Amino acid sequence: MAWFKKQRKPIEPPDKQSRVPEGLWVKCPSCSQIIYNKDLAASLSVCTKCAHHFRLSAAERLKTLFDGAWQEYDNGLTSTDPLKFSDTKPYHKRLDASIAATGMKDAVITATGPINGIETSVAAMEYSFIGGSMGVVVGEKITRAIERAIDRRLPVIIVSCSGGARMMEGALSLMQMAKISGALARLDRARLPYISVLTDPTTGGVTASFAMLGDVNIAEPKALIGFAGPRVIEQTIRQTLPEGFQRSEFLLAHGMLDLIVDRREMKATIGRLLHLFIDRPAPPETPALTAAAADAAAGPPA
Ligand SMILES: [Zn+2]
């Protein structure tokens, strides 16, 4: 008989069926707080303890911005894989997998609908579709959203959440930077406002084009915003990068952003800005302005 032979059976793992149903609770990656899923949805996917902003899907984003129903456009556009590109797997297979996983045809939803009563053209990017990357379809849909706004005299909001241009479409994806920027220039000439909302992450060709071209550039707290990754920059300039580099707060302090707004305040802030740009009185549901309006109506104290 061997001296070190295991005599006893290993302890049986506890009942495999967990009593907590899957997906009912979420752990905050920032403060480790366990949050009930419904509570998280009620706070627009912001941690109620530490205000960590969880990533939103494009559809969830539109829900947080519009007053109610919206009209979606161009949702049938798909990439034709113009370069017949293949890396670890063929690009058309990647596209099929993303279409099956997200139920979307590409990485952006474009829609029109009211925000605080003002009809607005909005494009929201979807990170789970090949990293929210901008290919020909994303470029075309955003450009059409801007042109639609010019035709109908609407303000434009683009919510960026993207790893940059889509390398599987090569130079064609880079051309979208110029195409969208050109459309934004026409919007500017038509004297219509464009608000850019930068969320985690906004990088590469998206930062280098439309994300930074807003009349107002608003970011969510602690969002990663940059062009190249920190490692590439360090190797190029041969310097150590400062703490918090490429986060919203750093960019605000260095003049690259106008505002950092908590997601729970985003709709109210954008609503106020739209009323300011469009030069229309704000509706009564904005509390700060209601108080001011009530004061004005009451007149000076007797
Ligand atoms: Zn947290």
Side-chain angles (χ1 to χ4, degrees):
M1 186 188 128
W3 279 76
F4 297 108
K5 195 178 176 198
K6 263 189 191 158
Q7 295 285 356
R8 275 181 280 171
K9 278 186 186 169
I11 298 167
E12 289 260 320
D15 189 12
K16 273 176 201 151
Q17 281 257 303
S18 167
R19 273 172 299 166
V20 182
E22 195 70 30
L24 210 54
W25 299 84
V26 186
K27 189 175 177 183
C28 172
S30 174
C31 69
S32 304
Q33 172 87 351
I34 307 292
I35 313 162
Y36 186 40
N37 236 342
K38 279 189 180 161
D39 291 344
L40 192 65
S43 68
L44 308 182
S45 293
V46 177
C47 173
T48 44
K49 193 181 170 199
C50 73
H52 170 77
H53 284 49
F54 289 78
R55 194 167 289 149
L56 283 187
S57 73
E60 287 169 331
R61 177 68 60 177
L62 293 181
K63 210 179 279 175
T64 68
L65 289 177
F66 285 127
D67 297 343
W70 62 80
Q71 162 91 45
E72 196 185 330
Y73 299 92
D74 306 319
N75 57 3
L77 289 188
T78 46
S79 172
T80 55
D81 188 8
L83 305 179
K84 305 282 169 257
F85 191 87
S86 187
D87 45 64
T88 50
K89 63 175 174 179
Y91 174 43
H92 69 88
K93 287 212 172 134
R94 235 176 248 284
L95 279 171
D96 291 344
S98 286
I99 289 168
T102 60
M104 291 169 62
K105 293 280 170 70
D106 216 301
V108 72
I109 298 180
T110 52
T112 58
I115 297 178
N116 276 21
I118 293 185
E119 193 71 8
T120 308
S121 179
V122 181
M125 301 186 80
E126 173 60 59
Y127 191 79
S128 55
F129 197 106
I130 317 185
S133 54
M134 171 175 59
V136 172
V137 173
V138 169
E140 181 62 22
K141 283 177 80 169
I142 293 179
T143 304
R144 287 187 192 182
I146 298 165
E147 288 172 344
R148 196 173 298 123
I150 297 171
D151 288 345
R152 300 199 207 156
R153 307 278 317 154
L154 306 178
V156 173
I157 296 172
I158 304 177
V159 185
S160 301
C161 184
S162 171
R166 188 173 295 171
M167 61 154 209
M168 300 82 158
E169 295 185 12
L172 295 168
S173 68
L174 297 181
M175 287 174 194
Q176 307 311 312
M177 297 166 64
K179 185 163 91 182
I180 297 172
S181 302
L184 285 173
R186 291 198 295 281
L187 184 82
D188 186 56
R189 260 177 259 140
R191 304 183 65 78
L192 290 164
Y194 162 43
I195 298 173
S196 174
V197 179
L198 298 92
T199 70
D200 183 69
T202 297
T203 56
V206 168
T207 313
S209 60
F210 60 87
M212 284 295 177
L213 292 177
D215 293 308
V216 182
N217 295 329
I218 307 175
E220 286 191 337
K222 298 198 182 114
L224 174 75
I225 300 165
F227 179 59
R231 197 157 40 91
V232 175
I233 301 172
E234 278 187 337
Q235 282 166 3
T236 310
I237 64 171
R238 291 169 199 283
Q239 281 180 37
T240 316
L241 295 166
E243 186 77 15
F245 176 72
Q246 291 188 325
R247 293 282 161 187
S248 311
E249 291 71 15
F250 187 92
L251 294 176
L252 181 73
H254 291 78
M256 297 281 284
L257 295 172
D258 298 301
L259 282 172
I260 294 176
V261 177
D262 189 296
R263 187 179 295 153
R264 292 163 290 187
E265 301 291 321
M266 191 63 86
K267 179 177 159 65
T269 307
I270 289 177
R272 277 201 299 280
L273 284 169
L274 290 179
H275 282 278
L276 196 73
F277 277 123
I278 303 290
D279 195 19
R280 246 189 264 168
E285 70 254 22
T286 317
L289 293 181
T290 313
D295 285 349

